């Protein structure tokens, strides 16, 4: 089952990062997206995410994610103008509707809806990049040190998923050889036939779970503290990405603190720029966010840089 | 290593209680500041904190290898049941399986099956900003079914069908929260109602799907899982030395 936006090893620079560095970098991108409502910051982050997707060779997956998100963007752009009465530049005034009152659409609410739509696309893009950049096993490896039981459950369940899918098709084949036709009859009859397969799968896999438990018990699970083996090297590239992410977050906090990153949509749209400092903060945030992309480009083009980081 | 693990658990306990206290003070004491809060960001922290709390409780519990294996298998089954129905909007047999797991094995297993099924199936379907909220919603579905199993063990087929049906809507409303908190302004009952209205037909499909799956498959699955729960239970006739 392929939806395009899951991890596939491509040997790109961003996939070689330590999982904690990759998680922190993507976490910073996620925080920045929810941190700002300023349209220019949101647009800049969107473009930066596009560049990260390009560096990760994940433009196809990114495009798919954006298409998935477009439906929700439309919803956001409908709900905000219909529900908000705070805007002063009224474009259209409609009839009285129960619960909602008089329908009015203002320029401010449309702009706010558009900005929030962009924010949604940013958030979706961050998760798309997470799916493309971080191997689930490597991410799980970090948590297994602190939450061994939960990590073991997730590892076991992930391991069992393809096995169960294979068992399911085998049970179906066995039923078909006995003359069960899954393609004929009403939907109720078909569901009944499929439910038989499901019951068999449930029964055999539950029996299997007892065997797995006994095997784990025989290997002394729970008899004492778990040992932990770490083989993820922490390289200069990880430190640079962590530093860049931290820098972007610090610049964002400064922008918020000084008011440069704030933007007011209501009651009237504010000015996009209130001074030169706004641009400096925006550039600082972008520099931090794009540093791993630049590093990725250098890693591809310059072999000496590749050996050093 | 063991000392570090214990230290981590102590720090974690302190961190969780500190965060819970800080949030309580912030929301209920500093009301004016809370009104201006970036709730989209704040709610994500809150949700992650709640999920961490549940996982921390599970890590501290004396879960046996049998319990771990059963949770893994039920999560896999719930996860795999989600994949063929991914194309259908909100009709998926995952919710009713999580509810039955919780009802038979208790709230702890219910929560773990709900969250793990989501994490595992999203490895294949793709994680998104909705992942923490889905984890919470399915986790709560499983744990509430577990509580229902403790409080009303003889709820019956009709009662469980209604419970499954209701969770279709509850799941949708929890999922609407992240959308509403992050992308809608102002945050008032009217805008939340609009968000719920927009998802009404999807929530209805989810609720109907849950009810139909439970009516057709629920009785057999409850029987199978109850049998395994009895098999898992070990009682010592003599005190262990």
């Amino acid at each position: 089952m392929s939806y395009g936006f899951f991890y596939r090893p491509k040997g790109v620079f961003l996939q070689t990062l330590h999982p904690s560095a990759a998680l922190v970098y993507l976490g910073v991108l996620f925080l920045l997206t929810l941190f700002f409502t300023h349209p220019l910051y949101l647009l800049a982050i969107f473009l930066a995410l596009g560049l990260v997707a390009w560096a990760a060779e994940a433009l196809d997956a990114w495009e798919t994610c954006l298409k998935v998100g477009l439906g929700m963007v439309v919803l956001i752009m409908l709900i905000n103008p219909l529900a908000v009465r705070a805007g002063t530049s009224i474009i259209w005034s409609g009839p009285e509707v129960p619960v909602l009152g008089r329908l009015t659409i203002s320029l401010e609410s449309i702009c706010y809806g558009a900005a929030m739509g962009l924010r949604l696309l940013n958030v979706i893009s961050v998760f798309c990049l997470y799916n493309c950049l971080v191997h689930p096993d490597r991410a799980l490896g970090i948590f297994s040190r602190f939450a061994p039981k939960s990590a073991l459950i997730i590892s076991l369940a992930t391991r069992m998923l393809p096995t169960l899918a294979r068992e399911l098709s085998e049970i179906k084949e066995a039923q078909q050889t006995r003359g069960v036709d899954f393609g004929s009859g009403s939907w109720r009859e078909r569901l009944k036939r499929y439910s038989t397969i499901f019951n068999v799968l449930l029964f055999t896999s539950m029996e299997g779970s007892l065997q797995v438990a006994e095997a784990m018990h025989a290997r002394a699970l729970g008899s004492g503290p778990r040992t932990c083996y770490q083989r993820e090297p922490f390289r200069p590239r990880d430190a640079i990405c962590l530093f860049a992410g931290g820098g972007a977050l610090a610049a964002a906090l400064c922008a918020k603190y000084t008011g440069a990153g704030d933007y007011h949509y209501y009651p009237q749209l504010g000015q996009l720029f209130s001074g030169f400092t706004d641009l400096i903060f925006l550039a600082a945030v972008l520099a931090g966010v794009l540093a791993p992309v630049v590093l990725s480009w250098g890693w591809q083009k310059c072999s000496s840089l590749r050996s050093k980081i | 290593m063991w000392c570090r693990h214990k230290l981590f658990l102590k720090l974690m306990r302190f961190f969780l209680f500190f965060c819970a206290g800080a949030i309580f003070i912030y929301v209920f004491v500093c009301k004016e500041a809370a009104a201006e809060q970036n709730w989209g960001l704040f709610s994500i922290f809150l949700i992650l904190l709640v999920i961490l709390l549940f996982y921390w409780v599970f890590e501290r519990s004396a879960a046996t290898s049998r319990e771990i294996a059963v949770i893994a298998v039920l999560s896999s089954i719930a996860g795999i049941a989600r994949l063929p129905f991914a194309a259908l909007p909100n009709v998926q047999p995952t919710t009713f399986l999580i509810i039955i797991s919780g009802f038979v094995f208790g709230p702890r297993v219910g929560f773990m099956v709900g969250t793990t099924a989501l994490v595992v199936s999203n490895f294949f379907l793709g994680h998104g900003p909705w992942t923490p909220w889905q984890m919470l919603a399915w986790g709560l579905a499983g744990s509430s079914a577990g509580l229902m199993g403790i409080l009303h063990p003889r709820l019956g087929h009709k009662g469980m069908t209604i419970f499954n049906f209701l969770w279709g809507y509850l799941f949708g409303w929890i999922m609407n929260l992240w959308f509403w908190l992050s992308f809608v302004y102002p945050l008032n009952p009217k805008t939340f109602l609009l968000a719920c209205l927009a998802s009404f037909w999807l929530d209805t499909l989810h609720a109907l799907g849950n009810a139909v799956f439970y009516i057709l498959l629920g009785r057999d699955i409850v029987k199978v899982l109850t049998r395994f729960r009895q098999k898992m239970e070990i009682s010592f006739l003599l005190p262990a030395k």
Side-chain angles (χ1 to χ4, degrees), chain A residues 67-81:
Chain A
K67 280 178 188 166
V68 170
L70 275 178
M72 286 167 78
V73 170
V74 171
L75 197 63
I76 290 170
M77 290 188 72
L78 279 175
I79 287 180
N80 276 296

Side-chain angles (χ1 to χ4, degrees), chain A residues 5 12 22 26 65 83 88 100 109 120 155 158 171 209 224 230 261 268 273 280 305:
Chain A
F5 38 90
V12 292
L26 291 169
C65 283
T88 50
L100 293 175
S109 59
L120 177 77
S155 301
T158 314
I171 296 165
S209 79
Q230 192 76 18
Q268 267 192 321
F273 283 112
I280 293 175
L305 182 70

Side-chain angles (χ1 to χ4, degrees), chain A residues 5 34 76 80 83-84 112 119-120 123 127 131 145 147 149-150 157 160-161 164-165 191 195 205 207 209 225 266, chain B residues 2 4 38 55 59 61 65 69 73 76-77 80 86 124-125 127-129 179 182-183 185 191 216-217 220 231:
Chain A
F5 38 90
L34 290 181
I76 290 170
N80 276 296
V84 179
Y112 185 80
R119 178 192 263 188
L120 177 77
V123 172
F127 277 90
N131 292 322
R145 298 180 70 183
K149 284 181 199 166
S150 314
M160 283 173 183
L161 209 72
L164 289 180
L191 205 62
S195 74
S205 51
E207 283 287 350
S209 79
Y266 302 110
Chain B
W2 183 237
R4 277 175 65 190
N38 181 348
Y55 271 89
E59 287 294 327
S61 69
S65 53
V73 165
S76 279
I77 293 174
I80 205 166
F124 298 86
L125 296 172
H127 287 283
F179 171 83
S182 302
F183 308 107
Y185 177 88
T191 48
L216 292 174
L217 305 168
D220 291 341
K231 252 179 121 173

Side-chain angles (χ1 to χ4, degrees), chain A residues 30-68:
Chain A
F30 178 67
L31 282 179
L32 291 179
T33 296
L34 290 181
F35 208 55
F36 291 110
T37 51
H38 197 302
L40 278 180
Y41 277 83
L42 290 174
L43 191 65
I45 294 167
F46 181 75
L47 295 174
L49 285 165
L51 284 173
V52 178
W54 167 75
E57 293 180 13
L59 282 174
D60 291 347
W62 188 53
E63 195 186 328
T64 312
C65 283
L66 293 184
K67 280 178 188 166
V68 170

Side-chain angles (χ1 to χ4, degrees), chain B residues 8-241:
Chain B
F8 172 76
L9 287 177
K10 276 185 182 172
L11 281 174
M12 195 69 198
R13 182 167 51 185
F14 173 75
F15 171 74
L16 288 173
F17 280 113
F18 176 77
C19 288
I23 288 165
F24 181 81
I25 290 168
Y26 189 68
V27 174
F28 292 102
V29 180
C30 312
K31 284 181 181 171
E32 284 181 16
E36 294 297 316
Q37 175 61 40
N38 181 348
W39 281 100
L41 192 60
F42 192 63
S43 62
I44 285 287
F45 284 125
L46 207 64
I47 291 296
L48 290 177
L49 191 71
V50 171
I51 293 170
L52 267 178
L53 193 69
F54 272 103
Y55 271 89
W56 177 68
V57 169
F58 180 75
E59 287 294 327
R60 298 268 295 167
S61 69
T64 59
S65 53
R66 285 186 173 208
E67 197 173 324
I68 288 173
V70 163
I71 292 172
V73 165
L74 287 173
S75 309
S76 279
I77 293 174
I80 205 166
R82 195 177 165 214
L83 301 182
F85 289 87
L88 288 176
N90 266 23
V91 178
Q92 45 195 336
T94 311
T95 313
F96 101 99
L97 280 170
I98 291 165
I99 287 173
I100 292 176
S101 307
F103 187 75
V104 175
F105 290 102
R108 193 171 66 187
V109 174
F111 186 86
M112 288 306 292
V113 170
T115 51
T116 312
L118 186 273
V119 171
V120 171
S121 57
N122 273 7
F123 282 147
F124 298 86
L125 296 172
H127 287 283
W130 44 82
T131 299
W133 293 88
Q134 279 180 326
M135 278 176 83
L136 183 79
W138 266 329
L140 287 179
S143 51
S144 65
L147 284 176
M148 194 60 89
I150 293 167
L151 298 172
H152 301 284
R154 297 183 191 284
L155 191 61
H157 196 65
K158 273 185 193 167
M160 278 302 284
T161 308
I162 294 168
F163 188 79
N164 274 278
F165 182 80
L166 289 177
W167 257 106
Y169 285 103
L170 277 174
F171 182 91
W173 294 338
I174 292 172
M175 292 308 296
N176 284 341
L177 270 178
W178 84 267
F179 171 83
W180 178 67
L181 288 171
S182 302
F183 308 107
V184 178
Y185 177 88
L187 298 177
N188 57 30
K190 200 190 283 183
T191 48
F192 186 67
L193 188 72
L194 264 179
C196 288
L197 275 177
S199 71
F200 179 75
W201 71 276
L202 288 169
D203 298 339
T204 306
L205 278 176
H206 191 185
L208 285 173
N210 287 351
V212 169
F213 282 123
Y214 190 82
I215 289 167
L216 292 174
L217 305 168
R219 217 187 292 265
D220 291 341
I221 296 174
V222 169
K223 208 183 286 177
V224 170
L225 293 188
T226 309
R227 183 179 166 272
F228 273 93
R229 193 198 65 204
Q230 287 163 350
K231 252 179 121 173
M232 276 169 62
E233 284 168 359
I234 301 169
S235 55
F236 294 98
L237 295 176
L238 291 169
K241 287 180 182 175

